[in-house]
Amino acid sequence: NSGWMDVDAPETPQIFWVVSLPEKPDVRVQPVTFENKSIITTRDTGKVIYFNTITGEKLWMNSLGVYIHYSSPIIYNGKVIVCGYGKVAAFDLETGDKLWEYTPPDGKRIRAEPTLYQGILFLPVGHYRDSPPFYIVALDPDTGTEINVFTDPDLPPPSDSGIVGYGDLIIFGTRYKSGFVQKLYALRVSDLSVEWVLEVGSSISPPTVADGIVYVGLYNSTILAVDASTGSVVWKLVVGSGNRFYRIAPVYKDGVLYVAAYNTGLVAAIDTSTQTVIWTYDAPSYIYSQLIYADGKIYFGCDDDYLRCLNASDGSIIWEYKGGSDWQSVSIVDIGGYGIVIAASNDYNLYAFGSLPMFVTLEIEVLDENGNPLPNAHVQLFTRDWSLAREGDTGGDGKITFFN
């Protein structure tokens, strides 16, 4: 939940590839990448799509069968775990076959971000339009078996927020619902018992944790810093007026907190040591995506059909790209230390921005003492510092090929 990646990042809106998404879907979650392949989900059609990040080629597609709103997929132990409205499922990463399925308590919807922490899958269960009670559920990610459930009559819906791990705790915020007071919670990982609760009184963004501090944005123009161990308020700062910071997670990098209000288009950089605003940028429309930081740049998508890139040091525009519709899904993926921005537009296309250097394809042939091809020989490639880079077995012809 840091919102940043330590890679080179695109300095121009150079398109790497564009692919059309099937069934004209609405995409609102960030893609998740593993070994040059990525997973993206669609909201209204409930599709799970696995594609090659370098080429954009679709490798497989399956369906959860329900809405997938702001809940990004999780890749774990050869599985893709996807949460939606009243259903959670795991798919085989290579084949797309469904491995298990879980129905949350009362069949309630999952709208916010789950998290995988200390080998446990934690789910924020309950839409703000659902009737109480609401839940935090702990699952075994290998089997989908329920481990533990937390609920409380005073627990507001954990909708639009997300869960983040810190030490032996998971921390999450809640959203407005009539009759409830919005709070920030910390539960113990071991048994989901309450460590601390902080009454906030305003809808809360997905949390970000850095250096023992939880940072959240609120509906009421406020940025809040909270001690992650105790729940005590370290500082709070009101930034302008009418700025609803509760939908976009703050991004922390090198002592600076980057925040955005989706409704006013305000992006701000805050010095966390002095609690002062360093710069602000006013986008001319709603901001629909999360903020992404990489290589001194901030990326985000807007309702006016523009994908924007700001200079993180002063908030000036580096580039902007006009798509065919608004952008609600923006992410950056690491391909060998090179950052590729992956973004979905509501023109039903998935875009990749950036460029990659020329890659090398290495073919190795292994022969026995008589000069004959040796099948099933195990080959390992090492870097200069002797860390393992690639490995595999030769085929029947005694050859193995390593790409990229």
Side-chain angles (χ1 to χ4, degrees), residues 122-374:
F122 295 98
L123 310 175
V125 178
H127 191 290
Y128 68 93
R129 292 176 180 168
D130 291 337
S131 300
F134 305 104
Y135 307 92
I136 300 296
V137 175
L139 291 187
D140 181 332
D142 286 311
T143 64
T145 305
E146 193 174 276
I147 299 172
N148 226 324
V149 177
F150 168 78
T151 188
D152 184 276
D154 296 325
L155 175 67
S159 178
D160 288 345
S161 187
I163 300 174
V164 66
Y166 174 76
D168 295 326
L169 305 175
I170 57 167
I171 300 168
F172 63 95
T174 56
R175 177 172 172 157
Y176 170 80
K177 187 174 180 67
S178 179
F180 290 87
V181 177
Q182 292 73 54
K183 303 168 187 173
L184 193 64
Y185 284 81
L187 307 182
R188 298 182 187 94
V189 170
S190 58
D191 58 5
L192 293 188
S193 58
V194 176
E195 178 73 14
W196 53 260
V197 180
L198 176 67
E199 289 194 3
V200 175
S202 185
S203 292
I204 303 169
S205 76
T208 295
V209 179
D211 300 329
I213 304 296
V214 183
Y215 297 100
V216 292
L218 306 183
Y219 181 93
N220 62 2
S221 304
T222 302
I223 306 301
L224 196 62
V226 177
D227 187 296
S229 299
T230 66
S232 59
V233 175
V234 178
W235 56 262
K236 63 180 179 179
L237 178 68
V238 176
V239 181
S241 62
N243 292 311
R244 299 175 182 174
F245 291 114
Y246 77 104
R247 282 196 178 178
I248 300 173
V251 174
Y252 178 92
K253 186 71 170 72
D254 297 333
V256 179
L257 193 71
Y258 303 92
V259 298
Y262 87 95
N263 66 314
T264 61
L266 176 76
V267 182
I270 300 168
D271 187 322
T272 58
S273 63
T274 62
Q275 298 91 60
T276 55
V277 175
I278 302 170
W279 55 257
T280 61
Y281 170 82
D282 291 305
S285 69
Y286 280 24
I287 297 175
Y288 275 165
S289 78
Q290 297 295 317
L291 298 183
I292 302 297
Y293 176 104
D295 194 21
K297 306 174 188 69
I298 300 285
Y299 299 89
F300 57 94
C302 294
D303 183 42
D304 65 351
D305 303 347
Y306 277 94
L307 179 67
R308 291 185 164 90
C309 172
L310 303 184
N311 187 320
S313 63
D314 60 12
S316 59
I317 276 277
I318 296 177
W319 59 261
E320 53 186 7
Y321 176 85
K322 185 174 177 60
S325 187
D326 57 90
W327 306 81
Q328 299 199 31
S329 171
V330 178
S331 185
I332 190 162
V333 299
D334 181 358
I335 302 178
Y338 295 87
I340 298 294
V341 172
I342 306 289
S345 170
N346 270 337
D347 63 5
Y348 313 123
N349 289 316
L350 189 64
Y351 295 77
F353 296 89
S355 61
L356 295 177
M358 184 67 71
F359 283 117
V360 172
T361 298
L362 177 65
E363 182 181 79
I364 296 175
E365 182 179 22
V366 181
L367 307 176
D368 63 18
E369 64 270 19
N370 297 317
N372 299 314
L374 186 64

Side-chain angles (χ1 to χ4, degrees), residues 12-34:
T12 65
Q14 177 181 341
I15 293 180
F16 190 46
W17 50 254
V18 181
V19 295
S20 296
L21 294 169
E23 302 179 18
K24 297 184 176 181
D26 179 5
V27 177
R28 299 195 178 187
V29 303
Q30 294 170 288
V32 175
T33 299
F34 178 73

Side-chain angles (χ1 to χ4, degrees), residues 16-96:
F16 190 46
W17 50 254
V18 181
V19 295
S20 296
L21 294 169
E23 302 179 18
K24 297 184 176 181
D26 179 5
V27 177
R28 299 195 178 187
V29 303
Q30 294 170 288
V32 175
T33 299
F34 178 73
E35 292 185 350
N36 295 345
K37 300 179 181 68
S38 297
I39 287 283
I40 197 166
T41 58
T42 65
R43 185 188 73 136
D44 44 353
T45 61
K47 292 294 189 292
V48 184
I49 304 169
Y50 188 49
F51 62 94
N52 186 308
T53 315
I54 297 176
T55 65
E57 175 192 7
K58 184 182 73 177
L59 302 175
W60 58 256
M61 182 174 70
N62 207 328
S63 176
L64 186 61
V66 296
Y67 259 44
I68 303 171
H69 209 117
Y70 295 124
S71 181
S72 293
I74 290 174
I75 295 177
Y76 171 75
N77 200 20
K79 303 173 186 66
V80 180
I81 302 172
V82 181
C83 304
Y85 280 18
K87 190 182 294 185
V88 182
F91 301 87
D92 185 279
L93 184 62
E94 292 304 318
T95 67

